[in-house]
Amino acid sequence: MILNKTKTAGIALLGLLLLGGSPVPFASAQDNQDLSLTYQRPPKAIADIIDAPATPLVNINSKGNLMLLLERPGYAGIDELAQPESRLAGLRINPATNGRSRGSFISNIKLKQVNGGQESQLSGLPQNARLGNITWSPDEKYIAFTNTVDNGIELWIADINSKQAKKLTNATINDAYSGSPFEWTSDSKGLVVKFIDEKRGDKPKTGLAPVGPTIQQNIGKVKPSRTYQDLLKNRNDEQLFDYYMQTQLKLVTIDGEQQPIGKPGIVKSMEISPDGEYLLVQTIQKPYSYLVPHYYFPYNVEVWDRDGKLVKQLAKLPLAEDIPIAFDAVAKGPRSYNWRPDKPATLYWAEAQDDGDANKEVDVRDIVYTLDAPFSAKPAELAKTKYRYRGVQWGDKIALVNERWWKTRTERVTMVNTAKPAKATVLIERSYEDNYNDPGSPVFTKNKYGRSVLLTDKKGQHIYMISEGGSPEGNRPFLSEYNLKSKKATILFRSQAPYYERPIDIIDLDKKQIITRRESENDPPNYFVRDLGKKKLTQVTSFPHPTPQLEGVQKEMLQYERNDGVKLNAVLYLPKGYKKSDGPLPMLMWAYPREFKNAATAGQVKSSPYEFTRISSGSPLFWVTQGYAILDRTDMPIVGEGDAQPNDTYNEQLVASAKAAIDKVVSMGVADPKRIAVGGHSYGAFMTANLLAHSDLFAAGIARSGAYNRTLTPFGFQQEERTYWQAPEVYFRMSPFSFADKVNEPILLIHGEADNNSGTFPIQSERFYNALKGHGATTRLVFLPHESHGYAAKESILHMLWEMDTWLNTYVKNRQVQ
C-alpha cells in the first residue's frame, strides 16, 4: 500500500524528536560508539566469497586452436589505492609509474590447447607479475604485454612456440593515456611503443604561493557542458598534464632494439597502416580546457612515414567546448580517423553535415570518406548516413556502415559495395531496444595483414552473426548465417535448455566447428568445442565452482505486470533448502532503472533462467546466504512513448514498478511485505532514495554512489537530454534531495571518497545526508577512502558488505514492527 508521504513524514519526524533522534537502539549505538571504526568484516559466508580465488580470464587466438588462461590475483589492498594519484583532465595517473592508476592486473599466463586440452605454463614471467595490455602478434607466434613495477612500466613479449617470456624494455613505457601503449607491426617483427620522453625535465613543483588567479572566461558563446570529474583546475595542473603525457614513439624489435620515431609530443593515439609503411598519429595541442576532459582538447591528425617524417596533415581540430549537449551531438569537422583493415594504406573517417548538432533537421547526418596513399588525391565518398555514424566493419569488397539515432532508438546497418560505393543496401533498420529481434554482431577473421575483417563464405554471399537471442522464455544465444541478398538469417546453432550457451567464435567454417561458453544454473561457465556437423561437444576448460557457498541456491525468473499494463521481469533467489512452508522471508530488492521509448520492448525478458548464479563484489546475492530472499535485476522501466519524455512521470512509474514486484513476491508467499529493503548503485541509488521519498513500500534502503540533487547536473543526466532551464519541474521532482523531508525509512548511504563518475560527486551523498539528518531521518553516511565509483580494495569491499549486512539485520530482518 502506498501511503501519503507528507502525513507519514510528519508523524515519523515527531516520533524521532520525542525519542531523541532514533527509535532503534542500534542507531543510538552508532551515534555514540562506532563512528571511528577500523575496517570491518561481514559474516564468514560472505567474506569467504570475497576471499575466494578468481576464475581465470580466457583469450583465444583467431585460429581457435590456442587459448591463454589469464590468472588474476585477489582484490587489491587499500595500500595500493592509497598511493599518490594525479587527477588531470579526466585521467587518473600514478606518478610513480607514469601509468594509469587503479588498474587491474594479470598475475600469471598459461597456454592451453583447444584440441586435446594440454595446458602449459608460460616460463620466464617476472616475479610478482602485474601484467596488462596482453595482445597477440598478427601472426600469433607471440604475445606482448606490459608489466608494472614500483617505479614504472616495462614491455615484455612471449614466444608461443618456446613458451618463454622475456623483457624488451626497462620501466620507461608511457601508459598514462587511454588505450594500449603499443601496437604490433604488421610483420610481427616489432612494435611501435609509447615511451616517456627522456628529455621532459623534472616534474613541475607546486609552489605554496600562486603566481596569479585562476580565470575562466566566455564571451557570449553558447557552451553548455555536462558534469565531468577530475578536470584541470589551474596552471600547475596544465604543467603536470604536459609532464606525464609527453611521449616519444619508438620502434622496438622483438630482439629489443629501439629506434625513435618522429618528435615527442602528447600522443593521443597512433595506428600503423596494414602494410606497415605509415603511422596515423593524433597529438593533443593547446589551449587546454578547465571545462571538458582531455578527449575534447585540440588535436592534430597526421600521417607519418615509418621514420616519423610528416607525410600528410589531415586535420587540425580545435577545442571542442561548444558541442551541443543533445545526444548524438558530435564535434564539427572530421572525426574517427582509422586505417581500412582490408587495404595496404587507406584511411577512412566521417564528417558531420549538421555541424554536429543533432537538433538540426537534415537529410544527411554524416558522410564517410576514404583516402588512399600517398594521400594527395581528393577524398572519395564511401557513404552518406541518415543517422549518426557509428563505425564501419570491413570485408572482402563490402563495408557495413553502422548508424544510430537516440531520439527514436533506431539503429541501421547499410552494406556498401567498396568498388562501387553508390551501390548501397540497407540490411538492418530496427529499434535497438528490441532484444527479441536483435540479429547480433558479425563474426570476424584475420586477413593477410593480421587485421580483423568480416568472415564470409567462399562466395561472399553470407556473413555470420552472434546474437544474445532474446526471447519471451529468456535469452537463447545463437549463431546465424546471414544472407546479404535476401537479408534473411539461418540459425546454425541456438542455445537449448537447460543450458545458457553463447557462441564465441567460429574455428573452422567448412568443418562447422565453433567455440562456445556454456553454463547452467548449477554448472559454472566453461569453454567447449561444438562440432555442428558431427553434433559433438568437447569440453576444453574445467573451471570449478567459484562460490560453493551458493550451491543449492534456488533461482526463478519472474514475470508480472505493472498497473499500466507494462510487463516486468525480475530474478528471484531463495536460500538453499528453503520451502514456502517455512514462511515469508525478509527480502532485498536490487534494481537499476532504464529508459524506453516503447512499452512493449520495456517489458521484454532480458536474462536467462539457465545462467549460472554468479556474484560480484557489488552484488546483492551475498544475503541469500544469510536467510534473505533476493530480487535481482528487478525491472524499473521508465517509458515515454511518442512525444512524451520518460522522465515526465519518473516517480509514478518507479513506484508502480516497485509495487508490482512486491505484490508478486508477496503473493507467492516468499517475502514478508513488512521486511523488504530496496537498494542500488549509482542510478540505482538515485532510484532507492526516490522510492523511499515517494512511497512507503519498503522497510529500509541502501544507496551506493548515487546522485540525489539533479540541479548539480544541470545540462542533462543519464538519458535526460533537456537542461534544468528547459525542464526545471522535472529536475525538481526527480531529485530526492527535494523531498528529503518525506524520507521516513532508514537509508544507508555509501560513497567512494574519490568517485570519478560523471555527476556522482561525493558531495551528492554529503548534502543529501545533511538534508536527511536535518529532518530527523534515520540515516548513516559511509565514505570509503580512496575509492572511485566502483570499489576496488578488499578492505573497502568487506567493510561495505559489513555495513550493508548490519543495516539489513537491524532495520529489515529484525525490524521492530508496531
Side-chain angles (χ1 to χ4, degrees):
M1 178 179 179
I2 304 175
L3 302 179
N4 184 305
K5 292 299 296 186
T6 304
K7 180 178 179 180
T8 55
I11 294 172
L13 178 57
L14 177 60
L16 289 169
L17 292 173
L18 292 173
L19 291 169
S22 174
V24 183
F26 175 74
S28 297
Q30 287 180 327
D31 290 342
N32 298 317
Q33 296 178 17
D34 69 349
L35 298 185
S36 299
L37 283 176
T38 56
Y39 288 108
Q40 300 294 299
R41 288 177 67 88
K44 185 176 185 301
I46 293 178
D48 285 350
I49 295 173
I50 297 298
D51 291 333
T55 300
L57 301 175
V58 170
N59 186 329
I60 306 172
N61 69 358
S62 67
K63 301 180 183 69
N65 63 353
L66 183 66
M67 59 174 56
L68 308 178
L69 302 182
L70 309 177
E71 296 181 355
R72 299 176 287 169
Y75 293 99
I78 192 64
D79 56 336
E80 184 171 326
L81 263 68
Q83 293 178 9
E85 182 179 64
S86 292
R87 302 173 187 174
L88 303 167
L91 296 168
R92 292 191 168 184
I93 302 163
N94 184 335
T97 66
N98 214 101
R100 284 161 284 177
S101 63
R102 304 171 180 272
S104 58
F105 299 104
I106 299 300
S107 57
N108 189 30
I109 302 175
K110 293 182 178 179
L111 308 179
K112 190 175 186 67
Q113 297 293 330
V114 171
N115 295 318
Q118 295 89 351
E119 193 173 302
S120 54
Q121 173 64 49
L122 191 63
S123 61
L125 291 172
Q127 292 185 343
N128 303 314
R130 302 171 74 203
L131 313 179
N133 300 298
I134 298 168
T135 308
W136 291 93
S137 63
D139 62 10
E140 298 187 336
K141 293 180 180 180
Y142 301 91
I143 56 171
F145 49 90
T146 55
N147 179 51
T148 300
V149 294
D150 289 343
N151 66 336
I153 299 170
E154 307 163 336
L155 177 65
W156 287 63
I157 65 166
D159 185 311
I160 296 300
N161 290 329
S162 67
K163 303 178 180 62
Q164 181 71 36
K166 67 176 182 180
K167 184 172 73 170
L168 280 189
T169 75
N170 293 325
T172 53
I173 303 302
N174 192 336
D175 196 14
Y177 206 80
S178 54
S180 177
F182 62 82
E183 184 180 354
W184 280 99
T185 57
S186 299
D187 59 9
S188 300
K189 294 180 179 179
L191 306 101
V192 175
V193 185
K194 294 180 181 180
F195 281 83
I196 296 169
D197 180 13
E198 57 191 21
K199 298 179 181 179
R200 66 180 177 176
D202 296 330
K203 179 181 175 181
K205 295 181 179 179
T206 304
L208 295 177
V211 297
T214 298
I215 299 171
Q216 299 184 53
Q217 174 175 284
N218 185 64
I219 309 297
K221 293 185 178 181
V222 178
K223 294 184 178 181
S225 61
R226 292 187 179 270
T227 309
Y228 301 108
Q229 309 272 42
D230 300 338
L231 299 178
L232 298 179
K233 298 182 290 296
N234 50 46
R235 296 176 191 176
N236 184 252
D237 278 359
E238 293 189 51
Q239 293 171 347
L240 286 172
F241 183 80
D242 286 338
Y243 176 78
Y244 292 120
M245 294 297 123
Q246 191 75 359
T247 297
Q248 174 65 62
L249 295 181
K250 294 183 182 181
L251 174 66
V252 180
T253 69
I254 57 176
D255 296 323
E257 296 180 4
Q258 298 181 13
Q259 176 186 335
I261 302 175
K263 296 179 180 180
I266 299 178
V267 178
K268 182 175 183 177
S269 69
M270 51 89 179
E271 184 185 1
I272 305 168
S273 63
D275 64 2
E277 294 298 319
Y278 302 98
L279 274 175
L280 175 64
V281 181
Q282 299 185 12
T283 54
I284 291 179
Q285 308 294 317
K286 292 184 177 180
Y288 301 150
S289 171
Y290 295 178
L291 293 177
V292 293
H294 60 91
Y295 42 84
Y296 290 129
F297 288 2
Y299 66 100
N300 292 347
V301 185
E302 299 173 340
V303 176
W304 298 356
D305 67 16
R306 58 195 307 164
D307 296 321
K309 295 179 181 177
L310 179 65
V311 175
K312 175 78 171 182
Q313 184 168 81
L314 298 167
K316 297 182 69 173
L317 297 166
L319 176 65
E321 283 186 344
D322 58 350
I323 296 177
I325 62 169
F327 294 110
D328 289 321
V330 295
K332 298 177 183 178
R335 69 184 193 281
S336 302
Y337 282 92
N338 293 280
W339 294 109
R340 279 182 58 168
D342 62 324
K343 294 290 185 180
T346 298
L347 293 162
Y348 71 98
W349 68 93
E351 293 190 25
Q353 304 301 296
D354 55 4
D355 293 325
D357 188 349
N359 290 320
K360 285 188 176 181
E361 296 292 335
V362 295
D363 293 329
V364 176
R365 287 288 163 191
D366 287 296
I367 297 180
V368 183
Y369 293 100
T370 64
L371 181 63
D372 298 330
F375 319 109
S376 55
K378 182 181 178 181
E381 184 180 301
L382 177 76
K384 293 178 179 178
T385 69
K386 179 180 179 181
Y387 307 121
R388 186 63 74 207
Y389 166 78
R390 296 291 184 181
V392 181
Q393 296 155 328
W394 298 90
D396 183 21
K397 300 179 182 178
I398 63 169
L400 302 185
V401 180
N402 296 273
E403 312 167 39
R404 271 201 173 196
W405 196 244
W406 177 83
K407 285 183 174 64
T408 57
R409 310 304 197 267
T410 300
E411 69 178 5
R412 183 159 89 157
V413 180
T414 302
M415 181 177 66
V416 178
N417 182 327
T418 54
K420 299 177 180 179
K423 295 181 67 175
T425 304
V426 176
L427 295 181
I428 299 165
E429 186 159 359
R430 58 181 291 274
S431 167
Y432 59 75
E433 291 182 344
D434 183 3
N435 296 328
Y436 292 176
N437 293 291
D438 182 2
S441 301
V443 178
F444 293 86
T445 187
K446 278 191 176 181
N447 65 8
K448 63 182 180 181
Y449 302 114
R451 304 297 175 100
S452 292
V453 293
L454 295 167
L455 176 65
T456 62
D457 62 353
K458 291 179 180 178
K459 293 183 179 180
Q461 296 176 343
H462 300 88
I463 60 174
Y464 298 85
M465 307 277 273
I466 294 175
S467 172
E468 190 61 27
S471 73
E473 62 266 30
N475 291 343
R476 296 178 55 206
F478 65 76
L479 170 68
S480 70
E481 183 179 65
Y482 187 91
N483 189 299
L484 296 171
K485 186 175 181 179
S486 68
K487 306 178 189 179
K488 293 182 179 180
T490 301
I491 304 296
L492 302 179
F493 165 78
R494 186 161 194 166
S495 181
Q496 300 289 333
Y499 294 98
Y500 172 84
E501 186 172 0
R502 181 176 176 80
I504 301 300
D505 203 356
I506 296 176
I507 299 176
D508 191 313
L509 187 58
D510 294 332
K511 294 182 179 179
K512 299 182 179 180
Q513 292 179 342
I514 65 174
I515 292 182
T516 68
R517 188 173 184 265
R518 188 176 194 239
E519 61 192 86
S520 72
E521 283 190 76
N522 301 310
D523 301 311
N526 272 289
Y527 290 82
F528 292 77
V529 171
R530 182 174 282 280
D531 190 315
L532 300 178
K534 297 180 180 179
K535 298 182 179 180
K536 181 181 178 182
L537 186 67
T538 305
Q539 186 165 350
V540 180
T541 62
S542 299
F543 299 135
H545 198 303
T547 51
Q549 300 89 338
L550 298 180
E551 287 188 287
V553 165
Q554 304 171 59
K555 174 184 174 183
E556 181 179 356
M557 283 184 58
L558 304 184
Q559 297 185 6
Y560 48 99
E561 194 170 293
R562 205 164 71 179
N563 60 6
D564 58 359
V566 175
K567 298 185 184 301
L568 304 174
N569 305 275
V571 183
L572 175 67
Y573 297 88
L574 298 171
K576 178 181 180 180
Y578 169 79
K579 302 181 295 294
K580 289 186 180 179
S581 59
D582 296 335
L585 299 170
M587 190 179 84
L588 173 59
M589 178 192 296
W590 203 259
Y592 188 98
R594 297 190 184 279
E595 298 88 344
F596 292 87
K597 288 299 292 179
N598 183 283
T601 56
Q604 290 182 348
V605 178
K606 303 171 186 68
S607 59
S608 167
Y610 306 116
E611 287 181 274
F612 179 70
T613 301
R614 55 179 53 82
I615 190 167
S616 64
S617 61
S619 171
L621 294 185
F622 293 98
W623 285 276
V624 78
T625 69
Q626 304 300 302
Y628 289 80
I630 304 298
L631 197 65
D632 196 16
R633 288 183 273 183
T634 312
D635 272 355
M636 294 282 176
I638 311 299
V639 183
E641 295 189 300
D643 293 333
Q645 294 298 318
N647 287 337
D648 290 346
T649 52
Y650 175 86
N651 289 317
E652 294 85 347
Q653 294 191 61
L654 201 65
V655 172
S657 294
K659 185 177 186 302
I662 290 173
D663 288 346
K664 177 64 176 179
V665 292
V666 170
S667 69
M668 295 171 63
V670 297
D672 180 349
K674 295 182 179 179
R675 294 189 298 159
I676 298 178
V678 63
H681 189 96
S682 193
Y683 208 52
F686 176 73
M687 168 207 73
T688 297
N690 267 313
L691 283 171
L692 297 190
H694 297 286
S695 79
D696 288 295
L697 294 168
F698 298 98
I702 298 173
R704 297 193 319 232
S705 297
Y708 309 103
N709 184 347
R710 298 276 51 135
T711 67
L712 296 178
T713 55
F715 287 103
F717 57 90
Q718 208 71 7
Q719 294 299 307
E720 178 55 63
E721 192 175 42
R722 296 166 294 183
T723 71
Y724 167 77
W725 296 273
Q726 292 170 326
E729 68 288 347
V730 172
Y731 277 67
F732 176 82
R733 288 198 309 267
M734 287 185 69
S735 297
F737 180 86
S738 305
F739 301 92
D741 60 326
K742 305 297 190 293
V743 177
N744 58 347
E745 298 87 5
I747 181 169
L748 171 64
L749 304 174
I750 301 175
H751 214 121
E753 194 175 62
D755 194 330
N756 61 339
N757 184 56
S758 177
T760 55
F761 296 101
I763 196 173
Q764 290 272 9
S765 286
E766 180 183 337
R767 301 318 303 162
F768 187 45
Y769 169 78
N770 275 281
L772 292 166
K773 180 170 64 74
H775 289 92
T778 297
T779 183
R780 179 176 172 91
L781 173 60
V782 179
F783 275 126
L784 299 174
H786 306 294
E787 293 291 352
S788 58
H789 194 59
Y791 316 142
K794 178 181 281 191
E795 294 90 339
S796 302
I797 292 166
L798 290 171
H799 187 86
M800 171 197 75
L801 295 171
W802 177 84
E803 291 280 0
M804 293 175 64
D805 186 67
T806 305
W807 199 259
L808 289 169
N809 286 340
T810 303
Y811 297 111
V812 182
K813 179 184 280 188
N814 302 312
R815 181 189 181 197
Q816 299 176 6
V817 180
Q818 298 181 0

